[in-house]
Amino acid sequence: MTELLTVDGLTKSFDHGSTHAVAEVSFTLSAGGTLGLVGESGSGKSTTARLVAGLLHADAGSARLDGREIVGAGRRELHALRRDMQMVFQDPYSSLNPRMTVLDLVGEGMLVHGIERDPARRRDRVVRLLETVGLGGEHLDRHPRSFSGGQRQRIAIARALAVGPRLLICDEPVSSLDVSVQAQVLNLLRDLRETLGLAILFIAHDLAVVRYLCDEVAIMSHGRVVEHGPRDAVFERPVHEYTRSLLEAVPVPDPAEQRERRALRRRAAEQARGEQ
C-alpha cells in the first residue's frame, strides 16, 4: 500500500519547553488504511492529531501528507492541504457553529475551497452528503441544537467529507456518545473507508473501539509512541509493559476468558524478553 501520511520525529513542548506533550513521535499511515492512536488522558495523542492537522505548530520533526510537508507550511499551503485532510472532533456540539443551518455548515467547505459556488448545485451536494451519513434533505434548514449527539456527529462527518479528503483525522469522535450510538458511528466510519477509500487516523482511549475499527495501532504514553504494529499483534502479543497494562484494564465479562488472556499475554511477554 502507498504511504499517505508519514510522521517523523514530531515534537511539541508547552510551558516554554518545560513540558513535552509530544516527543519524537513517528508513524506511517497507508492510503485507505486505519491507524488507532491510543493512550490515556495526557498521553499526547490529541496534541499529535492537531499537529498533523496543522492546528498546532510543531517544535521539531516532520509530517508529510502524500509527500507535502505540513510542519512549517504557510497559510496558502495549509489551505491546499486541508482539502485532502479533514478533522472530526470529540464534541460535535462545540465544533458546529450553533447559528448556522446544516446546509451552511456542510456546504461551507465547498465555498471556501471553490468546489461548488452555485447555490442550487451546492444544496444538492449537501443533500447527497447527508444521505451518505444516514440523514436526509429534510434536515437542511435546522440548527445543531435540534439534533441528538449522534446526529450532530454525523453532520460533522458530512462537513468533513464535503471537500473530498483522502485523510480523516478523528479525535475521540465517539467518546461523548451513548454506547449504542457509538456503534452506529463506528459502522459509518467503516463503511466510508470502504466506499470512499478514506485513510483514517483515529484517536481514542477505548481499546475495544480501536480493535473494531483499526488495522494498525500505535500506543502512546507520556508523549511518546511506545508500541506500534498490526492490530492483532499489538492486542494478542503486546511487547511493552504499558500496552499490557492497558489491555489488562479492559473489562471482560467472562472471568475464565480474562484469565486465559492474561496467561497468553504473560507467555508472549516472556517470549519477547527471551528474544531480546
Side-chain angles (χ1 to χ4, degrees), residues 52-54 65 70 81-87 165 167 169:
V52 171
L65 182 67
I70 300 167
L81 282 162
R82 282 177 181 146
R83 181 165 177 177
D84 283 334
M85 63 174 177
Q86 286 287 302
M87 194 159 183
L167 169 65
I169 303 171

Side-chain angles (χ1 to χ4, degrees), residues 25-37:
V25 165
S26 300
F27 58 82
T28 60
L29 175 57
S30 300
T34 308
L35 171 66
L37 198 58

Side-chain angles (χ1 to χ4, degrees), residues 175-193:
S175 62
S176 64
L177 306 177
D178 293 338
V179 174
S180 61
V181 180
Q182 284 186 14
Q184 295 170 15
V185 174
L186 289 172
N187 285 333
L188 171 61
L189 290 172
R190 288 185 69 170
D191 291 343
L192 291 173
R193 174 198 167 181

Side-chain angles (χ1 to χ4, degrees), residues 50-117:
R50 284 164 170 76
L51 290 169
V52 171
L55 300 177
L56 289 175
H57 296 289
D59 297 333
S62 171
R64 296 185 300 278
L65 182 67
D66 199 21
R68 294 173 293 167
E69 183 60 64
I70 300 167
V71 175
R75 182 177 298 180
R76 182 176 297 180
E77 290 83 3
L78 278 176
H79 179 77
L81 282 162
R82 282 177 181 146
R83 181 165 177 177
D84 283 334
M85 63 174 177
Q86 286 287 302
M87 194 159 183
V88 177
F89 296 92
Q90 177 178 357
D91 182 3
Y93 192 75
S94 62
S95 68
L96 299 175
N97 188 330
R99 297 183 178 182
M100 296 175 70
T101 65
V102 171
L103 173 60
D104 293 333
L105 284 165
V106 178
E108 184 180 29
M110 299 180 199
L111 280 173
V112 170
H113 289 277
I115 296 169
E116 185 56 82
R117 299 193 181 277

Side-chain angles (χ1 to χ4, degrees), residues 11 37 46 74 136 145 158 165 186 204 214 220 230-231 243-244:
T11 299
L37 198 58
S46 289
R145 64 178 177 273
L186 289 172
C214 300
M220 286 195 70
R231 175 192 57 211
T243 307
R244 292 195 289 271

Side-chain angles (χ1 to χ4, degrees), residues 36-49:
L37 198 58
V38 187
E40 296 173 298
S41 178
S43 63
K45 58 189 187 298
S46 289
T47 300
T48 299

Side-chain angles (χ1 to χ4, degrees), residues 152-169:
R152 285 196 291 264
Q153 198 61 291
R154 289 174 185 269
I155 293 167
I157 293 170
R159 181 182 62 173
L161 296 177
V163 297
R166 301 175 63 195
L167 169 65
L168 209 58
I169 303 171

